[in-house]
């Protein structure tokens, strides 16, 4: 379970997130929606531990990831797959080497690396690119390569920041299909997007505005949180509220 | 096994950095090599010059001249006391006959010895002092004052200035050697720190990605540390070639001239043991500089 407890994130005097509360169950598929600057990416960055909250607490499972030291943070990241602008591909390394990086970090054997990278590349439909450089791929292919790198370590949580942005319909559908496929396998997925209509297998939605989770209409909301002030959204609610 | 694999990955990633920019890294190695070669060449040169100076100057002798009426027994007794009291390895007694013979054979004026009606030369006890940079010249002078009071001793001859001069030369070279060692260490730390910092900044995209994927600061910095070791080894090889070449050239040029005065003089190539000792210190120094740089730079790359 992922839980944000009154989380505030400030950059100088500007608050990107203001006292955000929510909780998401394990294995869920969550969309973070909202306009630019609403705080979607900040939530992903906090969950990836690229940022630390200015106040409040973030629980993943039973651990507070807001209080991890540098070493613990590094080990936590091994269980999180991230795709987005914050973790670019290395353009001087082959596609194979890019996808293999998370496995090199944990010290897997060459045999295991070979088989897992090939499987990950096959899963995203890029088997033929293993010797190519990322710069030789299209935008959509690069994104799929990022997804392959994000999931090759079999993480429990995948965070995707605008995974369908600037993709044509076919490429976007393929990326969405991949994320949904991983979710079916039990991986918790959180996606920050402007293109909610592309996603079908959504269990939770968080609508953000001005750094806060916007309250859902009273007649449709379902407060399933176990703690006061924690908002969760059922699939029924989401269907009614957003027509997903 | 996992630990070994991680180390191997770091070593191979470190060596692959050479492929990214071979010429640039070669220049980095060259900078380090110059930093090492300059003081090393001076130290190697001094290691040839100082012993030669020592041989050339020789150890100072102290001569105790006895009164003309002194007997061999009293001289022997004084010599034994000298040896005992001042912990000397040996004292040499020169009889008046031996002194006259030397005058005849080694003096520039052998005729003078022939012209003397009788042998006026006294018994002499000659003591050779071993002087080094730590020798206490004041203590020597105090001893000499005591020797002056020995029974039968008429005069003690000792060139204190000569000893002081030799000692100051030895002291000077020791200070130069220490200053060079400190200079090498300081330059290596600064040059390595900066080289590694620039290398990490050049690779900051990779550092950032590795950290984002869960590599610890140590794991991120390890390839750079191994790269710095390889850089140190290449730089050492270059510096060794420079020092060897410089010693060869110096021996051809200046050595021939110096051998006119000192047959044993040689500008020698660095010995295997010297090179081995130096390479260990050198690699450790480079690693310390690199480690400090990695620690501070990786921390700043988010």
């Amino acid at each position: 379970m992922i839980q944000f407890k009154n989380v505030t994130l400030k950059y100088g005097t500007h608050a990107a997130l203001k006292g955000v509360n929510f909780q998401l169950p394990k294995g869920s598929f969550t969309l973070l929606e909202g306009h630019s600057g609403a705080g979607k990416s900040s939530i992903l960055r906090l969950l990836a531990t690229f940022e630390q909250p200015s106040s409040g607490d973030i629980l993943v499972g039973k651990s507070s990831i807001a209080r991890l030291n540098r070493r613990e943070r590094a080990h936590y990241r091994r269980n999180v797959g991230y795709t987005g602008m914050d973790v670019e591909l290395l353009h001087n390394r082959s596609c194979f080497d890019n996808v293999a990086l998370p496995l090199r970090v944990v010290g897997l054997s060459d045999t295991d690396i070979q088989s897992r990278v090939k499987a990950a590349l096959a899963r995203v439909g890029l088997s033929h690119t293993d010797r190519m450089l990322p710069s030789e791929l299209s935008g959509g292919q690069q994104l799929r390569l990022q997804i392959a790198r994000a999931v090759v370590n079999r993480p429990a949580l995948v965070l995707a920041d605008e995974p369908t942005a600037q993709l044509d319909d076919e490429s976007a559908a393929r990326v969405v299909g991949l994320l949904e496929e991983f979710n079916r396998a039990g991986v918790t997925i959180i996606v920050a997007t402007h293109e909610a209509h592309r996603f079908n297998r959504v269990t939770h939605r968080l609508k953000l505005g001005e750094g806060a989770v916007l309250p859902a209409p009273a007649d449709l909301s379902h407060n399933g949180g176990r703690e006061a002030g924690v908002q969760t959204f059922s699939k029924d609610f989401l269907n009614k509220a957003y027509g997903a | 096994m996992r630990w070994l694999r991680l180390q191997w990955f770091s070593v191979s990633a470190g060596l692959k950095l050479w492929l990214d920019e071979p010429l640039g890294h070669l220049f980095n190695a060259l900078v380090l090599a110059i930093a090492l070669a300059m003081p090393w060449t001076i130290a190697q040169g001094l290691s040839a010059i100082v012993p030669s100076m020592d041989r050339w100057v020789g150890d100072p002798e102290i001569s105790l001249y006895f009164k003309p009426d002194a007997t061999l027994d009293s001289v022997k007794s004084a010599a034994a006391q000298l040896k005992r009291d001042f912990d000397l390895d040996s004292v040499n007694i020169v009889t008046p006959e031996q002194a006259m013979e030397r005058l005849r054979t080694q003096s520039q004026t052998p005729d003078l010895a022939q012209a003397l009606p009788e042998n006026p030369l006294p018994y002499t006890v000659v003591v050779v002092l071993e002087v080094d940079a730590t020798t206490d010249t004041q203590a020597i002078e105090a001893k000499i004052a005591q020797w002056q009071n020995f029974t039968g001793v008429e005069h003690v001859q000792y060139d204190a200035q000569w000893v002081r001069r030799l000692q100051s030369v030895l002291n000077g070279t020791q200070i130069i050697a220490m200053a060079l060692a400190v200079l090498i260490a300081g330059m290596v730390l600064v040059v390595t720190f900066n080289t590694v910092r620039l290398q990490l900044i050049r690779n900051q995209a990779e550092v950032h990605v590795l950290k984002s994927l869960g590599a610890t600061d140590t794991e991120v910095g390890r390839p750079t540390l191994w790269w710095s070791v390889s850089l140190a080894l290449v730089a050492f090889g270059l510096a060794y070639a420079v020092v060897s070449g410089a010693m060869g050239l110096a021996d051809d040029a200046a050595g021939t001239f110096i051998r006119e005065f000192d047959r044993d003089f040689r500008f020698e190539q660095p010995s295997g043991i010297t090179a081995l000792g130096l390479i260990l210190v050198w690699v450790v120094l480079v690693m310390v500089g690199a480690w400090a740089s990695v620690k501070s730079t990786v921390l700043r790359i988010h």
Side-chain angles (χ1 to χ4, degrees), chain A:
Chain A
M1 187 180 68
I2 293 165
Q3 197 169 351
F4 269 52
K5 289 181 170 179
N6 205 24
V7 172
T8 295
L9 176 66
K10 284 184 179 171
Y11 297 106
T13 53
H14 168 69
L17 293 176
K18 299 167 194 162
V20 169
N21 291 288
F22 65 82
Q23 71 179 41
L24 302 167
K26 190 177 172 186
S28 57
F29 193 120
T30 304
L31 290 191
L32 304 177
E33 297 177 70
H35 59 79
S36 294
K40 306 185 297 292
S41 297
S42 297
I43 287 177
L44 294 189
R45 290 176 59 76
L46 283 167
L47 280 168
T49 66
F50 298 159
E51 303 279 0
Q52 286 176 288
S54 310
S55 64
D57 200 4
I58 302 168
L59 298 178
V60 174
K62 288 176 182 171
S63 309
S64 164
I65 61 166
R67 295 190 183 86
L68 301 177
N69 63 32
R70 295 178 70 81
R71 194 175 177 78
E72 289 166 339
R73 214 179 302 153
H75 285 277
Y76 163 78
R77 284 175 186 171
R78 295 175 187 183
N79 293 308
V80 177
Y82 182 96
T83 74
M85 285 180 295
D86 281 309
V87 190
E88 293 165 354
L89 295 166
L90 297 175
H91 290 277
N92 59 346
R93 304 257 187 131
S94 69
C95 293
F96 181 96
D97 284 343
N98 266 282
V99 177
L101 271 179
L103 306 177
R104 301 261 186 230
V105 165
V106 295
L108 245 60
S109 70
D110 276 347
T111 320
D112 286 343
I113 289 174
Q114 284 280 341
S115 63
R116 282 171 72 163
V117 172
K118 279 183 179 168
L121 283 171
R123 195 99 183 253
V124 298
L126 293 174
S127 295
H128 60 290
T129 66
D130 58 348
R131 286 174 190 274
M132 292 165 75
L133 292 173
S135 52
E136 296 174 77
L137 306 183
S138 68
Q141 286 176 318
Q142 287 191 20
L143 206 76
R144 273 148 54 200
L145 191 67
Q146 276 204 21
I147 292 172
R149 187 181 62 185
V151 299
V152 73
N153 214 12
R154 297 171 185 167
L157 171 65
V158 169
L159 309 169
D161 196 359
E162 300 291 358
T164 56
Q166 296 171 343
L167 292 187
D168 58 49
D169 287 346
E170 192 188 330
S171 301
R174 194 157 190 177
V175 167
V176 170
L178 278 170
L179 292 171
E180 290 178 349
E181 203 179 313
F182 293 123
N183 181 242
R184 254 179 237 113
V187 178
T188 305
I189 309 274
I190 303 178
V191 179
T193 184
H194 281 102
E195 300 176 317
H197 62 279
R198 294 192 187 277
F199 295 86
N200 302 312
R201 192 188 158 78
V202 177
T203 59
H204 296 72
R205 289 178 193 254
L206 290 179
K207 191 141 179 99
L208 293 148
E210 305 305 328
V213 176
L214 296 178
D219 56 332
L220 293 177
S221 67
H222 167 77
N223 189 353
R226 278 178 286 180
E227 292 183 26
V230 174
Q231 292 170 298
T232 60
F233 302 89
S234 71
K235 196 171 181 181
D236 287 346
F237 156 71
L238 294 165
N239 285 338
K240 284 176 190 168
Y242 299 101

